[in-house]
Amino acid sequence: MSEHLLVEREPGLLTLRLNRPDKKNALTRAMYGGLAELLQQADQDASVRAVLLTGGAECFTSGNDLADFIQAPPTGPDSEVFRFMRALFDFSKPVVAAVSGPAVGIGTTLLMHCDLVYVSREALLKMPFVNLGLCPEFGSSLLLPRLLGQARAAELLLLGAPFDGEQAAAWGLANQVLADGAATLAKAREMALGFQHLAPSAVTDSKRLMRAPGREELRRVIEEEGALFGQRLRSAEAMEALTAFMQRRPADFSRFV
Ligand code: COA
């Protein structure tokens, strides 16, 4: 299991905490693999009634580790990141997210696969896929236009426009905005613990019903996005963007046609 994942167990609740503060909780292959495994185990474990996903009070996640994108890109459907996406997509119990600070890339897109999302006012959410020479992932090309309309989704997905916790809640991407990271974590934990008092199969049946419409289409879109994302990672455009991040300079796409 990755040293960058903290696992806490209390009655009815499994808390998965991303813990790589020096890299703003950037997700490595080992972290994705660990999350996938823990979610699969939790789905089979009757003592777990809900999962709380957090990066702590300061930072949710800066998204996929950009050095990994260059050195160890995902190679196909069995890669850790895709196993994580499938584990979250197929998870039958409630997932509650507590989001503070940056929530970049998959840090934002995964929220659409959680059931309850609490976000701090100063959270910074963005999906800079195109800015990195990439394309949307985890169903965001289908889910965001459906949720927000084409115009707003284009700002977020084509321009990579950032938004804060207030906007996330106003747009329905989050349940509630809270004053700071500590309050966000406390609220998310309180709501997640509440599931231990509910009838477990009534909860999972209801989650399944709520997520059933369009589910197979969404699964197909996630696969299509994943295949294109993998191709784009090997493109010269993405290489320019990733190298620019490492060199702390703006990307220059002027030579591309
Ligand atoms: N992958 C790898 N390292 C990352 C990272 C990522 N996704 N995001 C941040 N880091 C590293 C930085 O390189 C830096 O490392 P260093 O101290 O060794 O130089 C450290 O984390 C702190 O990041 P920094 O940029 O100085 O923090 P910040 O508070 O100014 O900004 C972010 C935070 C998250 C807004 C900014 O780091 C960022 O935009 N990161 C890239 C996010 C991204 O594009 N993710 C992929 C989406 S598909």
Side-chain angles (χ1 to χ4, degrees), residues 7 11 28 68 107 130 192 207 227:
V7 180
T28 60
D68 262 13
V130 169
K207 171 169 174 164

Side-chain angles (χ1 to χ4, degrees), residues 97-99 116-121 123 165-166 168-170 172-180 183-184 187-188 190-191:
V99 181
L116 299 174
V117 176
Y118 297 92
V119 63
S120 79
R121 182 162 290 127
E166 296 270 10
L173 285 167
N175 292 76
Q176 189 178 336
V177 62
L178 292 117
D180 57 31
T184 305
K187 179 71 187 181
E190 176 200 333
M191 300 307 278

Side-chain angles (χ1 to χ4, degrees), residues 12 69 71 82-83 91 100-101 113-114 117 135 139 159 175 180 182 200 203 208 222 229 233 246:
F69 267 164
Q71 288 148 20
F82 296 117
R83 285 202 280 117
F91 195 66
S100 310
H113 302 278
C114 294
V117 176
C135 67
L159 297 175
N175 292 76
D180 57 31
V203 170
R208 184 168 41 77
I222 293 172
F229 197 97
L233 262 180
M246 297 303 164

Side-chain angles (χ1 to χ4, degrees), residues 67-147:
D68 262 13
F69 267 164
I70 298 176
Q71 288 148 20
T75 47
D78 291 330
S79 300
E80 291 86 344
V81 61
F82 296 117
R83 285 202 280 117
F84 163 68
M85 288 184 196
R86 279 198 298 274
L88 183 57
F89 187 74
D90 289 329
F91 195 66
S92 65
K93 303 173 190 181
V95 180
V96 181
V99 181
S100 310
V104 186
I106 197 166
T108 294
T109 59
L110 73 78
L111 301 177
M112 290 179 272
H113 302 278
C114 294
D115 301 289
L116 299 174
V117 176
Y118 297 92
V119 63
S120 79
R121 182 162 290 127
E122 88 296 349
L124 170 83
L125 301 98
K126 60 177 172 169
M127 292 164 283
F129 301 116
V130 169
N131 314 61
L132 288 168
L134 301 170
C135 67
E137 40 82 308
F138 212 174
S140 52
S141 65
L142 179 73
L143 293 172
L144 270 182
R146 199 179 269 176
L147 196 62

Side-chain angles (χ1 to χ4, degrees), residues 29-89:
R29 293 181 69 157
M31 289 163 78
Y32 284 124
L35 287 168
E37 210 173 297
L38 287 160
L39 285 171
Q40 280 161 352
Q41 285 166 8
D43 223 7
Q44 303 303 318
D45 181 347
S47 73
V48 176
R49 296 288 185 91
V51 166
L52 173 60
L53 185 59
T54 179
E58 305 291 324
C59 175
F60 190 57
T61 172
S62 58
N64 203 107
D65 187 286
L66 292 177
D68 262 13
F69 267 164
I70 298 176
Q71 288 148 20
T75 47
D78 291 330
S79 300
E80 291 86 344
V81 61
F82 296 117
R83 285 202 280 117
F84 163 68
M85 288 184 196
R86 279 198 298 274
L88 183 57
F89 187 74

